[in-house]
Amino acid sequence: MKYVSTRGKAPELDFEAAMLTGLARDGGLYVPATIPRMETDQIAALSGLSYEETAFRVMRPLVGDSFSDDEFRGAIARAYAGFGHVARAPLKQLAPNHFLLELFHGPTLAFKDFAMQLIGQLFELALKRRGERVTIVGATSGDTGSAAIEAFRGLDAVDVFILFPDGRVSEVQRRQMTTVTDANVHALAVKGDFDDCQARVKDMFNDFAFRDEVRLAGVNSINWARVLAQVVYYFYAAVSLGAPHRPVSFTVPTGNFGDIFAGFIAKRMGLPIDRLVVATNQNDILHRCLSGQGYVKGETRPSISPSMDIQVSSNFERALFYAYGCDGAAVAQLMEELSAQGGFGVSQGALEALREDFDSGSASEDETRAAIAATLRESGELICPHTAVAVKVANQLRAAAVPMITLATAHPAKFPAAVEQASGVHPPLPPRMADLYDRPERLTRIANDLGAIEDHIRGQIAK
Ligand SMILES: *Cc1c(COP(=O)(O)O)cnc(C)c1O
């Protein structure tokens, strides 16, 4: 199983190397050279299986010979053992033919745990075998950071540095990052917004001397292994509702496009998905782009769904790669236009290709709050603001004949102020986290400056 860069100029890697590397050396993102197909009978055979067994069968062909079957099964079992629900990703019905896929039963109460917990286990296996150490650096708009910290805390072969925008993540999100006491965990509050954090992480990866010196590794949403782990729950949910014999659609609260891109991979693997609906908040670059207005950066406008407050959606590059017929040079050209001019136009052919799979919609702040209130009133479910963005868009776009599965990406208790304001109900933290507000915090405030951040990392890593 080989992986190639979306910009066509980096070496091909196997799964393990693509996972350990993160960003490709030509600035691109790794994608599988060919997407393996699951036959109809193989998909049908997933019916009734545990989440873990589904995960093994769906991911196995994409992992190649990087891990033995036993190693891979063990990693999956350890990754999901700490989840608070035996189904791992349970489905709940919201309305006739509208279902919620609850992806928030992991240790940090958001869907990113699905990928991060598995990556932690796979990194440990790979690094132990190689006798190596790595420094993991990630940017987070909120949830990725705590998910990475929970996945890597206490491991011997890894230091984790998470950059987050100072003052722009919720208190629960911040505390989930800053109250972890393991010595290999470092939370950095950067004076800037999420795009600044993401840009500094990209800069570090492009500083090859630094990258090699500290053995940089990335687990941000650009990491292929993140996407891979997320493919599983598309199969799991669709099969629960009758796939492969009945198609389903998904609506996904979208920021960096990693989650919904996993749905695209599931579809290319053979899962009968009718529509993949991109739901954005008021930071709607993706909705504008899919509506034919080009991919044009604006200012980030802070919202009550902060994990979707982006202006550049890093994994969209992967979708563009396929929409442009796997032409790495064409993608590299678009990305140059993006950094030089702040945007680019999508060709008519590529736009048509994107629209074969993706629909899109956006929700304003008021519409998001209204969706929280209406969902509670109509179904008794309290949902987080990210999920509410998707519920609003799903209700607008879903067709009566095809079941719609809306991804519930975070637990409402991660965003208590917004949820309470919209619904009048205070969402309590699950009992296992009830003391979060009492734990002491540990973080470093740092300038939005590449040199300062690199110096700090050099000084902190275990040698
Ligand atoms: C990260 C995140 C998203 C956006 O997911 P992408 O893969 O970046 O599109 C949506 N909701 C929540 C709660 C998140 O943490």
Side-chain angles (χ1 to χ4, degrees), residues 104-106 109 411 413-414 427-435:
F104 52 70
H105 295 282
L109 308 181
H411 192 286
K414 287 197 93 161
L429 280 169
R432 61 197 158 109
M433 300 207 166
D435 69 339

Side-chain angles (χ1 to χ4, degrees), residues 109-112 141-144 173 221 226 230 252-261 286 305-308 310 313 315 384 386-387 407-411 414-415:
L109 308 181
F111 84 95
K112 294 189 174 77
S141 54
D143 288 329
T144 321
Q173 288 177 319
S221 67
R226 289 268 307 271
Q230 293 166 179
V252 184
T254 297
N256 265 320
F257 211 83
D259 203 1
I260 195 158
F261 186 74
L286 289 166
S305 46
S307 299
M308 296 153 70
I310 50 94
S313 182
N315 278 291
C384 90
H386 307 77
T387 308
L407 271 51
T409 48
H411 192 286
K414 287 197 93 161
F415 306 93

Side-chain angles (χ1 to χ4, degrees), residues 164-355:
F164 65 93
D166 197 7
R168 303 242 189 135
V169 299
S170 79
E171 185 176 1
V172 179
Q173 288 177 319
R174 190 190 69 238
R175 285 182 168 274
Q176 283 185 321
M177 294 189 274
T178 59
T179 59
V180 173
T181 54
D182 302 75
N184 70 328
V185 168
H186 313 270
L188 304 184
V190 176
K191 304 222 175 306
D193 62 18
F194 170 62
D195 290 328
D196 293 325
C197 295
Q198 189 161 249
R200 296 298 79 73
V201 169
K202 278 211 167 196
D203 292 345
M204 282 187 258
F205 275 93
N206 287 324
D207 179 349
F208 292 160
F210 178 77
R211 179 173 176 170
D212 292 339
E213 176 191 344
V214 304
R215 295 186 152 282
L216 215 56
V219 295
N220 228 309
S221 67
I222 52 155
N223 193 300
W224 166 255
R226 289 268 307 271
V227 174
L228 174 65
Q230 293 166 179
V231 173
V232 175
Y233 47 71
Y234 286 89
F235 277 91
Y236 187 64
V239 166
S240 296
L241 292 182
H245 311 297
R246 178 164 77 150
V248 297
S249 292
F250 288 92
T251 302
V252 184
T254 297
N256 265 320
F257 211 83
D259 203 1
I260 195 158
F261 186 74
F264 172 85
I265 295 290
K267 186 171 180 181
R268 287 292 173 99
M269 288 175 75
L271 188 66
I273 295 177
D274 181 29
R275 305 304 298 163
L276 287 163
V277 182
V278 175
T280 71
N281 66 21
Q282 58 189 1
N283 297 290
D284 59 351
I285 184 171
L286 289 166
H287 177 49
R288 283 184 281 119
C289 178
L290 289 165
S291 307
Q293 298 173 43
Y295 188 81
V296 184
K297 272 199 250 186
E299 281 293 299
T300 309
R301 294 162 64 200
S303 77
I304 57 170
S305 46
S307 299
M308 296 153 70
D309 288 348
I310 50 94
Q311 275 308 350
V312 182
S313 182
S314 43
N315 278 291
F316 192 54
E317 180 169 341
R318 289 187 160 111
L320 289 168
F321 178 74
Y322 289 100
Y324 277 84
C326 303
D327 180 350
V331 173
Q333 163 96 43
L334 295 177
M335 293 302 142
E336 258 166 44
E337 279 179 46
L338 179 64
S339 63
Q341 295 154 31
F344 54 80
V346 178
S347 74
Q348 193 55 34
L351 191 59
E352 276 163 24
L354 287 166
R355 285 181 179 159

Side-chain angles (χ1 to χ4, degrees), residues 20-21 123-124 127 130-137 152 155-161 184 214-219 461-462:
L20 293 175
T21 303
F123 262 67
E124 191 177 38
L127 291 171
R130 294 169 169 225
E132 289 176 6
R133 277 194 72 79
V134 296
T135 301
I136 287 184
V137 175
F152 290 99
L155 296 187
D156 291 331
V158 181
D159 274 295
V160 199
F161 292 83
N184 70 328
V214 304
R215 295 186 152 282
L216 215 56
V219 295
I461 54 176

